[in-house]
Amino acid sequence: MEMRQLTPYIGVEFTGVTFDDVRRPEVFDAVVDALHQRDLVVVRNVNMTPEQQIELASRIGSPVPFVLKDWRHPSFDEILVSSNEWKNNKPLGVPRVGNFWHQDSSFSERPSEYTMLHGVNVPQDYGHTLFASACDVYDRLPETWQAKLEGRIGLHTLSKQQRIAEEHVGLSIAEMRALVAQQHPAVEHPVVRRDAFTGRPYLYAAREYMDSVAGLDANDNEAFFDLVETLLQDPAHVYTHRWTPRDLLVWKTSTTYHMATDLPPGISRTVHRVSIAASAAA
């Protein structure tokens, strides 16, 4: 087994590890410690079945069935199938998930602590996933913004990214927005938080899953979101994961910004995702 840091800011990569290796206490503990200290873990080329993915996730915490019921694995509610592939004239999963910078499920009152992805069918030249540390983003905020955001509350919402469903057919845009706001009311989270494992402050805010920062006017909110996106797009602080077959990725949802890049027409991609709540003992 070999392990190395992916960037100075985020991530540890493990190579030469099989699924059976990961199940060994000493390897599993090393993976979890790297996850807690470095936010993102990449384990290259891990052959595993859906049952084994759920088993591994269950050792980290408690797998949580994803909110999008239509796109769950046909045999395992804990697995969300993210795919642009079709089988028997039906889509295998939900396409175009997370193609914008975000922190997973921040629109939920209690987001799951971890996300696990396994590459089932992944192209190596396209469909990369970008990652950035929320601690590093906070560190790079100007001091004036750090002071302005201290103690502030962010209003998080799904309304900007809600997919159009059958229930929205025939509604005006205003009616649809009102229905989404009713079904997914905004939730409150502190904008600046501290990581439970490292104690570092981090920024919990991203434009596409947020309405605003409470107490800031419209101009300041736009300036804030623009600043966050500028910091996130700095390539010197971003890890680009170029997928290879059967890669396994696990990250802490609150301290890890990420986004999926686009796929060109005709390129297939399928990954299995498990959301993991912290165990009671964590």
Side-chain angles (χ1 to χ4, degrees), residues 157-160 162-186:
T157 174
L158 187 60
S159 61
K160 295 180 183 179
Q162 171 68 42
R163 291 171 180 266
I164 297 174
E166 290 184 8
E167 62 198 87
H168 302 135
V169 174
L171 299 181
S172 69
I173 293 176
E175 290 171 331
M176 176 182 162
R177 286 177 174 170
L179 178 60
V180 171
Q182 179 183 1
Q183 294 173 329
H184 303 283

Side-chain angles (χ1 to χ4, degrees), residues 183-194:
Q183 294 173 329
H184 303 283
V187 298
E188 298 183 352
H189 296 296
V191 178
V192 179
R193 307 168 74 176
R194 286 194 176 270

Side-chain angles (χ1 to χ4, degrees), residues 26-271:
E26 64 272 23
V27 177
F28 178 79
D29 289 347
V31 168
V32 172
D33 183 65
L35 171 64
H36 288 161
Q37 297 301 317
R38 301 279 298 161
D39 300 324
L40 166 69
V41 165
V42 173
V43 187
R44 293 286 187 179
N45 190 22
V46 181
N47 247 330
M48 64 169 59
T49 65
E51 295 97 326
Q52 289 172 328
Q53 183 177 359
I54 294 170
E55 175 193 334
L56 185 59
S58 298
R59 290 189 62 184
I60 297 173
S62 301
V64 179
F66 198 71
V67 64
L68 300 175
K69 295 181 180 180
D70 292 342
W71 306 117
R72 293 174 183 171
H73 190 285
S75 302
F76 305 99
D77 285 348
E78 298 91 341
I79 293 178
L80 169 73
V81 180
S82 174
S83 177
N84 64 351
E85 298 186 81
W86 287 63
K87 184 177 181 180
N88 298 327
N89 295 318
K90 293 183 179 180
L92 285 181
V94 57
R96 291 198 320 113
V97 175
N99 57 336
F100 48 86
W101 284 108
H102 64 286
Q103 288 149 302
D104 280 333
S105 301
S106 70
F107 52 82
S108 300
E109 188 172 353
R110 295 190 64 183
S112 295
E113 279 79 3
Y114 311 99
T115 295
M116 175 185 286
L117 282 189
H118 188 230
V120 177
N121 176 28
V122 289
Q124 298 183 49
D125 297 324
Y126 307 98
H128 310 318
T129 307
L130 311 182
F131 291 92
S133 163
C135 297
D136 176 57
V137 171
Y138 176 81
D139 289 345
R140 289 184 288 132
L141 285 173
E143 290 184 1
T144 54
W145 273 104
Q146 290 181 354
K148 184 180 293 189
L149 295 171
E150 189 64 35
R152 299 276 187 183
I153 295 296
L155 303 179
H156 295 245
T157 174
L158 187 60
S159 61
K160 295 180 183 179
Q161 293 298 327
Q162 171 68 42
R163 291 171 180 266
I164 297 174
E166 290 184 8
E167 62 198 87
H168 302 135
V169 174
L171 299 181
S172 69
I173 293 176
E175 290 171 331
M176 176 182 162
R177 286 177 174 170
L179 178 60
V180 171
Q182 179 183 1
Q183 294 173 329
H184 303 283
V187 298
E188 298 183 352
H189 296 296
V191 178
V192 179
R193 307 168 74 176
R194 286 194 176 270
D195 181 74
F197 299 96
T198 67
R200 294 180 62 191
Y202 66 91
L203 191 68
Y204 199 58
R207 173 178 263 136
E208 295 301 325
Y209 278 168
M210 283 186 68
D211 175 76
S212 59
V213 176
L216 299 187
D217 63 27
N219 289 333
D220 274 352
N221 268 295
E222 282 304 302
F224 170 63
F225 287 135
D226 287 345
L227 172 60
V228 174
E229 290 198 350
T230 298
L231 295 174
L232 286 170
Q233 291 168 8
D234 182 350
H237 292 257
V238 172
Y239 165 64
T240 299
H241 183 71
R242 293 171 170 82
W243 287 83
T244 57
R246 297 173 297 280
D247 284 351
L248 176 70
L249 275 62
V250 190
W251 62 86
K252 288 153 57 181
T253 59
S254 60
T255 57
T256 307
Y257 285 100
H258 64 288
M259 68 171 289
T261 57
D262 291 332
L263 288 169
I267 301 297
S268 299
R269 183 179 187 270
T270 297
V271 297

